[in-house]
Structure formats: C-alpha cells, structure tokens
Amino acid sequence: MSLVRRCSRTACGRPAVATLTYVYADSTAVLGPLATYAEPHCYDLCAEHSERLTAPRGWDVVRLSDGSAPSRPSGDDLEALANAVREAARPPERAAEAGGAGQKGPSTGETRRGHLRVLRSPDS
C-alpha cells in the first residue's frame, strides 16, 4: 500500500507534486520534482502552491522542472546539482578537507551524502 504525501501548507490536503528546499548559504529556494523520500527540512507542495511559490526578498527561486522540459535530467545532472548545493553549503574550513565518497545504502543502489540522496536507476 502506497501512501500519498500531502502538501505541507497549512490546511491544504491536496497531493504533493513538488519538493521545496532552502539553501540558506546561497539565499536560494530550490523547487524540484517530488523527492523520493520525505526529508525533515524539505517541504512538499501541491501543484497550486508550487506554481504560486515566492521567495523572501533578495532570494532566488530555482525551478528544476516546469513540465515543459523535453526530457528528464540524467543521473549525472542530478548528482552534479547535489554536489554543487552540498559544496555551497559546506563551511570553508571543511571544503579543503572534503574528499571521501558517499556511503552505499543496503542493496538499494542508493548513495547517501549528508541529507541528499542519489538513486541509481535499475538499468544503469
């Protein structure tokens, strides 16, 4: 049985279609496709709330998919984006010592690095 995740906005019970994440270090709100897993510091939004999303003054909004893209981003594209966000959020003293790869999850093909996950498709 699969549970449908609902919009995080107060009093909204519509199904979630997108996930909102804030990158505080860059003053950026990132709105992308619905995340595979519910994360504690991310917000799931329905179609209406994701279309009407605004960011605080001085912040940028990055929309990863708007429905008109000809194809889905590749795993390499998503991993590069995750690496860029992670690097931007890393404190300067830790950036120099960064080096190790992520840890493999148990038999899922999942690589977990911090709070971001990279999921490999079964055919890759």
Side-chain angles (χ1 to χ4, degrees):
M1 179 173 141
S2 174
L3 295 176
V4 174
R5 293 192 343 234
R6 300 288 176 189
C7 183
S8 297
R9 296 292 301 262
T10 304
C12 181
R14 291 184 287 260
V17 298
T19 298
L20 172 65
T21 305
Y22 291 105
V23 182
Y24 293 97
D26 293 336
S27 300
T28 303
V30 181
L31 183 68
L34 187 63
T36 306
Y37 301 99
E39 295 286 348
H41 299 289
C42 296
Y43 303 91
D44 295 335
L45 299 176
C46 65
E48 180 181 342
H49 285 121
S50 64
E51 290 170 11
R52 295 184 357 204
L53 174 72
T54 59
R57 186 175 306 165
W59 283 54
D60 295 318
V61 176
V62 175
R63 295 178 186 269
L64 297 179
S65 67
D66 61 357
S68 65
S71 64
R72 295 179 53 147
S74 71
D76 291 339
D77 293 337
L78 295 174
E79 187 168 1
L81 176 62
N83 288 337
V85 169
R86 189 178 310 102
E87 189 63 33
R90 180 174 288 140
E93 62 274 0
R94 291 210 38 224
E97 63 189 45
Q103 300 171 340
K104 287 285 187 187
S107 72
T108 61
E110 166 187 316
T111 302
R112 182 169 170 85
R113 297 176 181 155
H115 70 283
L116 301 173
R117 290 184 175 94
V118 177
L119 299 177
R120 302 280 182 212
S121 64
D123 58 328
S124 63

